[in-house]
Each structure stands twice: as structure tokens, then as C-alpha cells.
Amino acid sequence: MRERDLLITDLGHRGDGIAQTEDGPVFVAGALPGETVRADVKGGRALNPEIAAPSPDRIEPVCAHYERCGGCSLQHLAEKPYLAWKRGLVEKALAGRGIETPAANTLAATAGGRRRAVLTATRAGRHTLLGYHEKASHRLVDIRECPVLDPAIVKALPGLKTLASEVLPKKGELRLTVLATTAGLDVAIDNADKAYERKIPGLSQKTVEMDLARLSVNGEVLLEIRPPMLDMGGIGLVAAPGGFTQATLAAEDVLSRLVLNGVGKAKEVADLFSGAGTFALRLARTANVHAVEGDKAAIAAFDTALRRAQGLKRVTFERRDLSRRPLVRDELEAFDAVVFDPPRAGAQAQAEQLALSRVETIVAVSCNPATLARDLRILLDGGYALQSVTPVDQFQFSPHIEVVAVLKRE
């Protein structure tokens, strides 16, 4: 191990700077392209790097926890090159599958902050820590602020820590999923101490004091003061405790617009991996929709929303694990457009069936460019043509990126 000067030429997919050397690439945490860094090198990583010549794209981080917290990786990069880097992540993933289609400019969709946060709590002696894990560590950063979160969640951090301290297990961590809804915060605590029942009166009192919409512990709703409502394109939906939603309202609006534009004038649409109906409820304004989802709670929330909705076309739904039992070619023939938005593992089995179908339009939504590229390769080999690829940034300062791709049957 020896100290050396490194010229940073690229940003890796996790946000680390990369220097190309005679011994291979060296990854430098916190470095930016164009910078010269002085550091010891061991195992392809720079140790204790010092910026000798900073990039003009370097800016001051906006959070006091940035140096330690693992929640963000690129607060020190100016917005324009940051959004270009995210576009590059998508294009590199596509190129890895032989897809040389340029992506559109990244759409920033972080306004208002993340309305959904997954926080971790643990014991530190007699104290409770609440926040995110440190970079490359199991240690927890006890956060006092978080510029990427909805201000309502940040304001509630002291109260959330008190709630967590009441039900912390003797060993290990618990998780708090906090969702900002139109009725207030919805808090779901998982992995709480199994004897939390004796704390229910205190938990209920704290819920009232914090004016939470709802509190759930280990899957059980302890107190609902108001239904935690979400606005799905003008249709009210009560979120399932700890359930999935798009992280920011701005991203939900942008993704929905891209999906609706991609589907166009289709009259029969299948919404696969539909969740609680983020796209299905909007699509049903102009098309008949069949929604398919494997999560029981999401389907129940969707069903309840449908019972209250007015002015929709025909909507049907079913609970089905599409990774194990995808809609097959004969089932797909009923639709002229299909939307799919799978978890990070992607939709390989479903893409294989779509590649055999005659569905005219496919709109693929993904939070993982690598698995999206794999699924698009299957569809392209099956005779589809890629019309557009649009990155959407809703996880500000992180390596995560949403993508919407539109394909047409040739």
C-alpha cells in the first residue's frame, strides 16, 4: 500500500469516483470526474482520500449528516451533471444488453421531498437511535434533519424516536415506515418487541399527541384517528399499513403522465404488478382496465378505492404472483396495451409471455435499469420496437433511478 495521485475519470453506478490505473480501476468514495485525488490504495479502493484539485461541479452538501449517513451518495455534485449521470446509468444498463437507444434527459421529480421513509431504530446503551445506516456499515446515524424527506416527517422525528423507544426489541433493530398522507402521517412499526401489548395505552396516547393519522405495530392497527388517504388522480385510496407507494408525489405524477401518454388511445389495458392502483385508477378514466397484483393488502386497498370511485370505465382485478404465474399469450390477447411495474427483480417470466403475444403497446416501468434492460431485450427479440426511454429521478442524491420505456409491436 502506497500513497499515489489518482485522476478521476468516471462515476460508478453507486456514485464513487473511478480512476483508471495500471493495476486496474480504483474506486474513490466522494470523488468526482476531473478531480485529482491523493490517497493510499488497497484492493482497488482509495483509503483516506484527499482532494488535491476539486472539480468545478463540486458543491457543498446540504445535510449535516452527509459525511456519515448512507442514505445519500451525491449531495456534493451539481444538479446538471448529477442528472446526466443518472441518465448514463440507464444507457449503460441498456448497452450491456446490446440496446443502443439513447435515453431522454432525466426528469427531476423530487419536489416536496419523499413522502415515504423507511427508518431504522436501535438501542445505544440507554438511548434510542433513529435514522439510516452509515455508509458501508451496520452502525446507525441518529438523524436530526433530512433534506430529502417531506418536512412533516422531519418535524415528527423526535416523536417517532419516542414511539420506537417504547417497543424496541431487547436485541436487534426495528423498522418504521412513515408515509405522509392527506390526513397526516401513517406510521407502521415492524419487528417491535413481542410484549408490546402492555405498551398500547402509552402508544395510543403518543399517537394522539403527535396527531398521527394511524399507528400500526407488527401488522396490527393500534389506532386510526383518520383514514390515511392518498390522492390517486382524484380518487381517494387508504394506504395499506407499511404498503408500497411511489416515494414522492411529484414522481407519481410524472410516472403516471408517462404511462398514460405511452398507452395512448388503447381501450383494453392490463396493469401488471399494479400495486394499490397507482396507474390503474388513472388509466380507468379512459380505458377498461384489468389490474393484477400479488400482494393481498394492496389488492384490498385497490378494491376499497374502486367502491368509492366514480366515472371510471370497467375495472377488474385479480391477485396473482406474476413472477411464478404470468399472464400467458392467450390471456394477453384481450388487451391492446399492457403496463408492467415490477419490483427490483424485474418481470422476466412476464416479458417472455409478452414477447409471444400480439399486444400492440407495452409500457414498462422499473426501479432497476439492469433488470429492465434484460426484460426489454426479451421484448425486442420478440419483435417489439423501443419508442422511448425516460429516466425519472425521485430518489434525490442516491444511485436509484426510475425508468419508463414504451414499446410497440412491429
Side-chain angles (χ1 to χ4, degrees), residues 119 130 143-146 153-162:
L119 303 169
L130 176 70
I143 63 172
R144 305 180 306 277
E145 62 179 75
C146 185
I153 299 177
V154 177
K155 184 179 179 181
L157 287 174
L160 294 171
K161 182 183 291 189
T162 301

Side-chain angles (χ1 to χ4, degrees), residues 79-407:
E79 181 180 35
K80 186 175 180 180
Y82 161 76
L83 293 175
W85 171 69
K86 288 215 162 180
R87 176 186 179 183
L89 293 178
V90 176
E91 292 181 334
K92 287 178 182 178
L94 295 178
R97 294 283 179 170
I99 305 172
E100 300 296 338
T101 300
N105 290 332
T106 304
L107 299 179
T110 59
R114 296 184 202 170
R115 61 178 175 177
R116 184 177 187 271
V118 181
L119 303 169
T120 300
T122 191
R123 296 182 187 277
R126 296 182 179 181
H127 301 285
T128 297
L129 305 181
L130 176 70
Y132 301 108
H133 289 101
E134 292 185 12
K135 293 178 171 72
S137 172
H138 294 295
R139 293 189 299 269
L140 205 63
V141 178
D142 191 32
I143 63 172
R144 305 180 306 277
E145 62 179 75
C146 185
V148 302
L149 293 184
D150 185 303
I153 299 177
V154 177
K155 184 179 179 181
L157 287 174
L160 294 171
K161 182 183 291 189
T162 301
L163 279 175
S165 67
E166 291 293 317
V167 294
L168 271 171
K170 294 180 180 179
K171 293 183 179 181
E173 302 173 335
L174 62 73
R175 184 178 68 177
L176 292 87
T177 302
V178 187
L179 177 65
T181 76
T182 59
L185 297 185
D186 180 30
V187 179
I189 300 176
D190 292 306
N191 198 36
D193 188 275
K194 294 180 180 179
Y196 75 87
E197 289 88 351
R198 58 190 175 86
K199 299 290 186 70
I200 288 178
L203 292 169
S204 299
Q205 179 62 34
K206 189 63 179 177
T207 300
V208 173
E209 291 174 0
M210 293 179 65
D211 196 28
L212 301 179
R214 182 175 64 187
L215 175 67
S216 307
V217 179
N218 290 355
E220 176 188 6
V221 176
L222 294 191
L223 182 63
E224 182 176 288
I225 298 175
R226 297 174 299 277
M229 299 292 292
L230 297 174
D231 183 351
M232 294 291 187
I235 298 171
L237 181 142
V238 178
F244 173 81
T245 62
Q246 296 296 339
T248 72
L249 183 59
E252 182 173 284
D253 290 342
V254 169
L255 292 169
S256 298
R257 173 169 52 83
L258 291 169
V259 167
L260 291 172
N261 289 344
V263 166
K265 297 181 179 180
K267 296 302 181 184
E268 301 290 337
V269 181
D271 183 14
L272 310 183
F273 306 93
S274 63
T278 300
F279 303 134
L281 292 170
R282 291 170 167 87
L283 289 165
R285 296 288 189 190
T286 57
N288 297 325
V289 178
H290 181 60
V292 186
E293 169 60 42
D295 183 74
K296 181 179 179 181
I299 284 289
F302 181 55
D303 182 27
T304 302
L306 281 177
R307 296 175 190 274
R308 300 170 178 160
Q310 296 181 347
L312 301 184
K313 301 289 187 180
R314 185 183 74 249
V315 181
T316 55
F317 60 88
E318 65 175 305
R319 183 184 176 196
R320 181 164 170 174
D321 184 348
L322 291 167
S323 297
R324 297 185 178 185
R325 194 163 66 90
L327 266 66
V328 298
R329 177 174 56 182
D330 290 346
E331 293 174 290
L332 291 167
E333 297 307 315
F335 307 106
D336 45 6
V338 168
V339 177
F340 67 84
D341 182 13
R344 290 189 63 79
Q348 180 172 353
Q350 188 59 71
E352 290 169 350
Q353 291 298 317
L354 282 165
L356 300 173
S357 76
R358 292 182 294 179
V359 174
E360 181 180 343
T361 302
I362 297 174
V363 181
V365 184
S366 174
C367 60
N368 185 343
T371 56
L372 173 66
R374 178 201 64 202
D375 297 341
L376 292 182
R377 180 74 269 166
I378 294 170
L379 295 170
L380 294 174
D381 290 345
Y384 283 89
L386 197 52
Q387 303 293 303
S388 64
V389 178
T390 307
V392 178
D393 180 33
Q394 71 168 325
F395 296 99
Q396 192 175 23
F397 306 133
S398 83
H400 301 297
I401 185 72
E402 297 279 341
V403 191
V404 178
V406 179
L407 303 99

Side-chain angles (χ1 to χ4, degrees), residues 40-53:
D40 295 325
V41 177
K42 182 178 181 181
R45 299 205 66 88
L47 306 179
N48 305 314
E50 295 181 3
I51 307 297

Side-chain angles (χ1 to χ4, degrees), residues 15 30-32 57-61 66 73-78 397:
L32 298 176
D57 294 329
R58 178 173 288 276
I59 60 174
E60 284 295 317
Y66 180 60
S73 56
L74 280 168
Q75 286 189 15
H76 57 291
L77 178 61
F397 306 133

